[in-house]
Amino acid sequence: MSDPKIGRRALLRGAGGLAALAALPSVAACGTGTSRVSSGANGGSKTVIVRDSGGAYGEALQKAVYTPFTKETGIKVQVVNLQGTQMLAQIKQGRPQFDLINNSMMDHAKFVAQDALEKLDTERIKSLKSAKIPENQITDHAVAHSFYGQCMAYRTDAFGGRKPESWADFWDTKGFKGSRSMCNPDADLPELEFALLADGVPMDKLYPLDVDRAFNVLTRLRSDIKKFWDSGPLPGVLLSRQEVTMATVWDGRLAALQQQGVPVQRQLNGARRQFQGFGIAKGAANADAAYQLMDYSLRPKVAAALAKTYPSNPASAEAYTLLTNEERSKLAGAPEYYDKGFDADINWWIKNEAAITKRWLEWARG
């Protein structure tokens, strides 16, 4: 399975790295639909080229979003799978081979710093009002459509019927015996927030992160961390093999294991949310069609259809009202779970990610 999260992590760390892209040569688009399609004098293009991460996620988008969008509007959707360096190089040269960018809100913020996204006219996104997307996820240049949660997973047969309820329990290797697994920065942001929550910091007081305190707490657990995972499936593999009893995990990763009978469960208390969203490339040739696809994708009915096809959590609060109780119960964005977690402060992370990653790598090596 391809992960939209991995696409985000594979971009570049920090605004400094992005700035260097201005000098990069042109990079040809990979994937399909690389030819430019003029929007014409009236902006009425019949094609839109969208960047997404492909894989199982891309297949779900094709089924739940792109195909029905084309059927309704007559606008063909072509897909390219590009890394951030490729996209920025093309935009810098004024010839982006794509129009709509499906990426993390953090990466969109990095693109804004490089003047790589069009400023949005939200009046052209008619579904915004009905979707009830959190206000802090609607920016001048991007709008969130979904999020993924990073949370705790554990084996239900490991603790004599007891269930870990908090990150403090994750750190309690005497009360909840067994090895742990946490993520490597190649997979996602270092998990400093979880360490601070384990040490008693209230969820609404996390930022700005107390970095020294977080690393001190991480050090208390270091000898019990069997492996740092660098891909979405790995925590599930470690849990399935009983190599660890608890791991941090992307919340949508457990469903397949549970269907296979593996005794694993998630704990969403203190889950970290990171949103994915849409932005329009600076100089996009098919901007009008990009607006139409964005508007269509954000409709609650469409967001709900995608959630039934792929384990992502709609940003639209209204979308959850269109799902059954069983369907909602699988999603970290459901009303009964949402307030258990927190939003990653992407502005703090953009400023500090490079330094934190360097320190994390030194810490992990011991």
Side-chain angles (χ1 to χ4, degrees), residues 148-151 183 188-189 191 194 229 249-250 270-272 274:
Y148 70 93
Q150 201 162 339
C151 63
C183 85
D188 213 317
L189 296 173
E191 296 165 328
F194 301 156
W229 55 271
V249 66
W250 292 326
R272 182 174 68 184
Q274 295 187 67

Side-chain angles (χ1 to χ4, degrees), residues 35-59:
S35 62
R36 302 309 290 137
V37 181
S38 173
S39 58
N42 61 359
S45 170
K46 289 298 182 182
T47 301
V48 60
I49 303 175
V50 58
R51 180 271 172 196
D52 68 44
S53 59
Y57 179 55
E59 292 172 4

Side-chain angles (χ1 to χ4, degrees), residues 268-283:
L268 292 172
N269 288 333
R272 182 174 68 184
R273 289 187 293 264
Q274 295 187 67
F275 283 82
Q276 308 284 121
F278 294 118
I280 296 177
K282 191 84 169 184

Side-chain angles (χ1 to χ4, degrees), residues 84-99:
T85 51
Q86 296 171 305
M87 289 189 284
L88 281 167
Q90 292 179 11
I91 292 170
K92 289 291 184 182
Q93 293 196 348
R95 299 184 62 190
Q97 303 295 300
F98 49 92
D99 307 298

